[in-house]
Amino acid sequence: MQKLDLPKEIKGILSFDFDGTLLDPTTNPQLDPLFFEVIDELREQGWIWGINTGRSQMQTVAGFNEGVFPVLPDFMVARERELYTPGDYGRWKPITEWNKRSEKDHKKMFKKSKRLLKEIRSYVEESTNARWVSEEGDPAGVVATSHEEMDEIIAHIDERKSKVEMMGYLRNTIYMRFSHKDYHKGSSLAEITRRCDLDSSQVFAIGDGHNDIDMLHKDYAGMIACPANSSQEVKQHVEGQGGYLCKQPASLGVVEALRHFFD
Ligand SMILES: [Mg+2]
């Protein structure tokens, strides 16, 4: 996979959620090659593009193979908050200043919310069938057995999370992870935009899940869309923001939205 030189003048930014938006595991290929044709044309006009995902950096790189990427994206947002640019020999270079700040703020948040997380964990383990998960870099999260169960858990958390001002969470289907409320796909995208010396009117964003709602917002992207397979909540949100609701699912929806905004 080839890394491309940045355009001389960057005209704008295209931000794509990965799973369910570019990748559709129910189709073969998972990502329609038409997407790369459209990207090629937009890149020639100065638009750079990136993946903005809840996956870890390594899982995202694995996804480039699943999606048979002919070229590498110009940036990557992993775990909704870690920023990377493509380096040499297939390595991804962290944007250290931002990533370090995020890490520090997360440590602070987790320290402050220790007691509250303990309470929430007891509730999850004693009153639901969901599983509490803790892993390197993501010390607290929940995997529910159904969407309904996750709705209940989220309602429980929403009632309590104001106890710790910094506490936020990122939800995607039956998964959720606790995180600092200032770090999400939207604020990550804003940092990329700032680094390119652009403003939100020069940004396009598309996504299908709950954790995309943060970037599908006029504050972060002047052009927003969601594929036809998006959750109801995302569709309502995008409609409310005056965004574009695609008729087609996943990557075909992405191509449709790009043509809608750029043709
Ligand atoms: Mg998704």
Side-chain angles (χ1 to χ4, degrees):
M1 260 168 265
Q2 199 193 341
K3 166 192 144 192
L4 302 176
D5 290 329
L6 286 177
K8 273 200 192 82
E9 195 190 326
I10 298 175
K11 206 166 169 187
I13 295 167
L14 313 169
S15 171
F16 303 99
D17 166 49
F18 211 7
D19 296 277
T21 300
L22 285 184
L23 294 186
D24 178 353
T26 66
T27 60
N28 189 13
Q30 290 200 45
L31 173 47
D32 198 289
L34 200 53
F35 168 74
F36 290 105
E37 283 178 33
V38 179
I39 284 293
D40 213 35
E41 286 165 27
L42 286 169
R43 229 182 158 283
E44 254 167 50
Q45 295 167 32
W47 290 82
I48 62 165
W49 67 290
I51 305 296
N52 198 337
T53 178
R55 287 190 185 211
S56 70
Q57 187 241 312
M58 268 169 65
Q59 289 168 333
T60 309
V61 170
F64 297 158
N65 294 317
E66 291 161 41
V68 199
F69 279 37
V71 290
L72 290 175
D74 300 301
F75 67 89
M76 178 206 295
V77 177
R79 291 160 77 218
E80 290 104 350
R81 62 174 190 255
E82 293 169 7
L83 311 185
Y84 297 90
T85 54
D88 294 322
Y89 311 109
R91 290 201 184 98
W92 283 81
K93 291 188 295 191
I95 297 182
T96 315
E97 188 201 354
W98 171 268
N99 293 0
K100 282 237 161 90
R101 198 193 316 154
S102 158
E103 213 176 291
K104 212 172 108 195
D105 287 345
H106 274 85
K107 270 197 184 133
K108 233 190 273 169
M109 187 280 288
F110 280 115
K111 210 170 155 192
K112 283 235 170 197
S113 55
K114 238 182 188 157
R115 184 188 291 175
L116 177 57
L117 286 174
K118 216 173 144 189
E119 279 171 35
I120 296 172
R121 180 176 184 166
S122 302
Y123 158 77
V124 168
E125 290 182 334
E126 286 156 28
S127 311
T128 77
N129 293 316
R131 194 159 49 88
W132 184 266
V133 283
S134 181
E135 49 193 58
E136 171 93 56
D138 269 316
V142 178
V143 182
T145 55
S146 67
H147 281 82
E148 293 71 30
E149 186 178 55
M150 184 51 87
D151 286 341
E152 274 172 41
I153 293 168
I154 291 291
H156 181 92
I157 294 166
D158 282 343
E159 274 171 34
R160 287 156 183 84
K161 77 173 180 358
S162 62
K163 287 183 190 167
V164 179
E165 206 239 316
M166 288 180 268
M167 190 199 262
Y169 58 78
L170 295 162
R171 178 187 176 178
N172 200 5
T173 62
I174 57 162
Y175 306 93
M176 70 85 61
R177 297 184 340 263
F178 290 94
S179 62
H180 191 294
K181 71 169 174 44
D182 294 342
Y183 294 87
H184 45 71
K185 288 191 179 196
S187 54
S188 296
L189 181 55
E191 178 64 9
I192 301 276
T193 309
R194 189 187 69 80
R195 284 175 179 268
C196 293
D197 250 334
L198 300 171
D199 66 63
S200 60
S201 70
Q202 296 154 292
V203 178
F204 165 90
I206 184 164
D208 70 312
H210 188 278
N211 61 343
D212 294 307
I213 288 176
D214 294 312
M215 72 166 168
L216 300 175
H217 197 283
K218 291 281 180 213
D219 286 354
Y220 304 116
M223 295 166 274
I224 60 175
C226 63
N229 55 299
S230 299
S231 72
Q232 207 46 43
E233 201 182 2
V234 171
K235 286 183 186 172
Q236 275 168 8
H237 170 83
V238 168
E239 195 168 26
Q241 291 274 312
Y244 182 74
L245 276 73
C246 303
K247 286 165 201 75
Q248 302 200 70
S251 62
L252 288 175
V254 173
V255 169
E256 180 192 329
L258 290 171
R259 287 189 171 145
H260 168 80
F261 284 109
F262 296 99
D263 253 6

